[in-house]
Amino acid sequence: MTGAGGWRGWRAAAEDALYGPHGFYLRPEGPAGHFRTSVHASPLFALAVARLLCRVDEALGRPASLDFVDMAAGRGELVTGVLDALPADVAARTRAYGVEVAARPVGLAPRITWLPEPPPQVTGLLFANEWLDNVPVDVAEVDSAGVPRLVLVRDDGTERLGGPVSGADAEWLARWWPLPGEEGLRAEIGLPRDRAWAAAVSRVARGLAVAVDYAHTARARPPFGTLTGFREGRETTPVPDGTCDITAHVALDACAQACTPAHTPGRPLLLRQRAALRALGVAGDRPALTLAATDPAAYVRALAGAGEAAELTARGGLGDFGWLLRPVGIAHPLGPAPE
């Protein structure tokens, strides 16, 4: 609800701007028209996710029906790529779902089920690539008296401070992102993301849930938050008018503890994308020069693949993404890997 003068918290404003009747995520060009994710960077990403699905399949004992759920599916790029990369015997048993608020993309393969929320029961892999960073959150800022207050915003992006953070939001800040009493320090209150992740994981009857996002942990919270916007491939000031993406990095360590043991007896695992992808065979190693002499075409292909893998695993770039893995009823199909 918009308050007097059009002021409201960032969570409500971003919810309308992203998912309302004229929201950013309903625009015809889709997210790929404004920013580039790992999915768009290289087909190697979908191949790695397909390999992970195969590991989940083995851990489940190769069930007659295997689910793959692509959360925040955009225009179906990842789910399509994963299906194309699966071995024929696994693909034949896979039920594929794209979960997205936008309408079903034209030309999407008929075998992919398109839903506004995940299916009620999943046996397989639920994969959320850059979903949680677009679950809207409120923003807190420390005032001159050292008190964290909600940041209010108007549709043109103008901000002012509202009332003190209270209730469950204040408890979340105290536990996961305590703010020193220094004026101007900011934090994004990640409680809605914790709840969204717990709800998604609760749909997994057996298998694995994975969240992949720009992230931070309690050891290194950004002192002024990370709220930002993206428009036509460039970072921009976040303005909640539906013309740009509004995003903020995710406190994945908080999400990791959001699921109760009763729902998910498996222990969560947090690691960097570069470690996760290397464990799934995406290494970025250059091919041997001897291949250039014996098979030049193969050398060029391998060199291009190495460049794409290097981008996906690069420090200071996509390789810094966090991966949160939560097994349900199976052993971890992806163990810790060296940084």
Side-chain angles (χ1 to χ4, degrees):
M1 178 180 296
T2 304
W7 296 104
R8 53 184 171 167
W10 265 107
R11 181 184 178 190
E15 185 73 36
D16 278 352
L18 296 178
Y19 307 113
H22 304 288
F24 174 83
Y25 276 95
L26 301 183
R27 294 167 68 96
E29 70 273 17
H34 295 269
F35 54 86
R36 188 165 178 260
T37 71
S38 296
V39 178
H40 308 117
S42 170
L44 290 175
F45 189 80
L47 176 60
V49 177
R51 288 171 179 162
L52 180 57
L53 179 58
C54 289
R55 293 192 187 185
V56 172
D57 181 44
E58 291 293 334
L60 290 169
R62 297 175 58 82
S65 182
L66 176 70
D67 296 324
F68 175 67
V69 180
D70 179 13
M71 297 290 296
R75 297 301 180 263
E77 299 95 335
L78 178 60
V79 63
T80 299
V82 168
L83 286 176
D84 289 345
L86 288 173
D89 62 315
V90 180
R93 292 183 286 109
T94 298
R95 295 185 301 187
Y97 301 88
V99 179
E100 182 58 78
V101 295
R104 181 185 182 90
V106 175
L108 189 71
R111 64 169 301 187
I112 299 172
T113 301
W114 199 254
L115 299 171
E117 61 180 38
Q121 183 166 301
V122 176
T123 300
L125 174 61
L126 182 146
F127 199 87
N129 184 60
E130 295 197 53
W131 168 51
L132 289 173
D133 69 313
N134 286 126
V135 173
V137 292
D138 275 315
V139 178
E141 181 176 321
V142 179
D143 68 10
S144 59
V147 177
R149 294 181 175 271
L150 284 177
V151 176
L152 305 182
V153 64
R154 288 200 290 210
D155 288 351
D156 63 0
T158 305
E159 293 183 338
R160 71 173 176 85
L161 295 187
V165 179
S166 61
D169 286 348
E171 293 173 5
W172 190 93
L173 276 183
R175 180 179 180 186
W176 293 109
W177 199 332
L179 287 168
E182 181 181 337
E183 185 176 6
L185 295 182
R186 289 170 68 127
E188 289 106 25
I189 304 171
L191 183 59
R193 293 169 173 179
D194 296 357
R195 291 172 173 166
W197 175 242
V201 174
S202 72
R203 304 291 182 101
V204 181
R206 290 184 68 226
L208 180 70
V210 181
V212 180
D213 244 308
Y214 276 120
H216 47 68
T217 64
R219 292 179 297 176
R221 300 284 190 225
F224 301 103
T226 61
L227 187 73
T228 191
F230 284 92
R231 182 188 293 113
E232 298 177 353
R234 296 184 178 182
E235 189 169 5
T236 186
T237 301
V239 178
D241 61 1
T243 66
C244 68
D245 185 28
I246 297 172
T247 180
H249 295 192
V250 182
L252 273 184
D253 50 345
C255 292
Q257 300 302 317
C259 306
T260 66
H263 288 154
T264 54
R267 294 180 59 190
L269 173 66
L270 269 172
L271 66 166
R272 296 286 190 183
Q273 175 156 295
R274 55 181 168 269
L277 291 184
R278 285 169 184 162
L280 291 167
V282 180
D285 298 329
R286 293 173 63 90
L289 283 174
T290 53
L291 182 62
T294 59
D295 191 340
Y299 176 78
V300 171
R301 290 194 300 271
L303 191 63
E308 293 176 3
E311 181 181 3
L312 290 172
T313 58
R315 293 179 182 273
L318 295 175
D320 287 347
F321 268 65
W323 280 47
L324 168 58
L325 300 96
R326 171 73 75 160
V328 181
I330 63 172
H332 264 297
L334 182 62
E339 285 286 302

